[in-house]
Amino acid sequence: MFSVDLKKLTDLLQSLSFLLSNTLYPISCVGCGEKEVGLCAKCLAVLPPPDFKQEEEVVAVFSYQNKIVKRAIWKLKYRNGRYLAPILAEALYERLLLELADLKLLKNWSDAVLIPVPLSTKRFKKRGYNQAELLAEALIEKDAGENFILKKDILLRAVDTPPQAEIKNKGERKNNVRGCFAVKNKDLVRGKNIILIDDVSTTGATLHEAEKTLKKSGARNFLKITVAK
């Protein structure tokens, strides 16, 4: 008899899937098609910011209406485009530092906890990864513990709801995610400043529901940030 390390097996299968995907569909810039780079510096530099008239409580770097931004996030989420996470996190980190500088000055922010919006267990198994976690991990690598720490196992997706992208009505989106989150250990968020991160926000319903759940567990202040909206 022998035991199987499920995590190692899962990691191996994901690596093989990534290798196969890159063999069949070689990496190229989602903007101009430059080879061997997911998003080149030239295309990244001209991506537009979000419309200031959109939902203001969520900070974002780029406009989701831009076709290159939309294509990048689609690849990151649905086509094993994990190589895009560090590239997008570069821009995300610059904006995050600006926001934190203001918060530290005006609201005495310190000891911030970075929490990626979780996927349900079912969706995580199907996709093999959580794109918000990939972004968070890339941010942590850049920050090296200077401004925040990462906690991936505090906020849980307790209910497997339909994807928000499939729901167009804003009110229905709010109802879809209501009560879908849970906090695993309240002591780890009580009195803490929280940075919630996700890849994209359209109505802000998912991030607001996550904030509400964490706030009930004693979290203090929130910064909600995404790549695009």
Side-chain angles (χ1 to χ4, degrees):
M1 295 291 292
F2 62 92
S3 61
V4 177
D5 189 320
L6 292 179
K7 185 178 186 306
K8 288 183 178 179
L9 179 60
T10 300
D11 289 344
L12 176 60
L13 291 174
Q14 288 180 8
S15 297
L16 290 174
S17 174
F18 182 69
L19 180 61
L20 179 60
S21 176
N22 288 340
T23 300
L24 295 174
Y25 308 101
I27 294 174
S28 61
C29 176
V30 293
C32 66
E34 180 182 337
K35 303 299 182 184
E36 299 183 357
V37 59
L39 181 58
C40 74
K42 186 177 179 180
C43 288
L44 185 63
V46 297
L47 296 181
D51 186 341
F52 72 93
K53 294 179 182 178
Q54 293 187 43
E55 202 277 330
E56 293 297 329
E57 291 186 26
V58 177
V59 175
V61 183
F62 303 121
S63 170
Y64 193 54
Q65 302 306 310
N66 180 268
K67 64 180 182 181
I68 297 176
V69 174
K70 192 168 290 189
R71 194 178 302 140
I73 290 176
W74 181 79
K75 278 185 173 289
L76 173 63
K77 292 177 74 166
Y78 304 118
R79 286 297 180 267
N80 206 21
R82 288 177 281 180
Y83 53 85
L84 285 162
I87 301 171
L88 296 172
E90 285 276 348
L92 196 57
Y93 186 63
E94 290 182 15
R95 181 58 190 271
L96 183 53
L97 288 185
L98 290 174
E99 294 294 327
L100 287 176
D102 287 341
L103 288 170
K104 287 177 180 179
L105 180 65
L106 300 174
K107 296 187 177 181
N108 194 29
W109 261 56
S110 60
D111 301 322
V113 179
L114 179 65
I115 299 180
V117 172
L119 296 177
S120 67
T121 301
K122 179 181 178 181
R123 201 169 303 166
F124 184 87
K125 287 181 178 178
K126 181 179 180 180
R127 190 173 299 170
Y129 61 92
N130 176 1
Q131 69 280 356
E133 281 189 12
L134 297 181
L135 292 166
E137 288 165 356
L139 288 174
I140 281 293
E141 186 173 344
K142 284 194 65 65
D143 190 67
E146 186 174 342
N147 295 286
F148 43 81
I149 60 172
L150 173 62
K151 292 292 183 181
K152 299 188 291 185
D153 56 352
I154 293 178
L155 187 66
L156 307 175
R157 195 108 182 194
V159 180
D160 183 25
T161 58
Q164 291 288 80
E166 296 178 1
I167 302 171
K168 303 304 179 185
N169 181 273
K170 185 175 182 179
E172 290 178 4
R173 282 184 171 228
K174 289 182 178 180
N175 291 332
N176 183 52
V177 294
R178 184 168 290 127
C180 74
F181 294 112
V183 175
K184 184 177 181 180
N185 189 336
K186 295 181 180 181
D187 291 335
L188 294 178
V189 299
R190 189 175 291 115
K192 296 292 185 179
N193 295 313
I194 305 295
I195 304 169
L196 275 170
I197 182 172
D198 208 353
D199 57 328
V200 63
S201 173
T202 48
T203 64
T206 301
L207 285 163
H208 289 332
E209 186 65 24
E211 177 185 8
K212 185 172 73 174
T213 302
L214 288 162
K215 192 174 287 185
K216 286 180 180 178
S217 296
R220 189 169 60 179
N221 298 310
F222 290 85
L223 170 60
K224 293 169 287 187
I225 190 164
T226 63
V227 174
K229 70 175 181 180

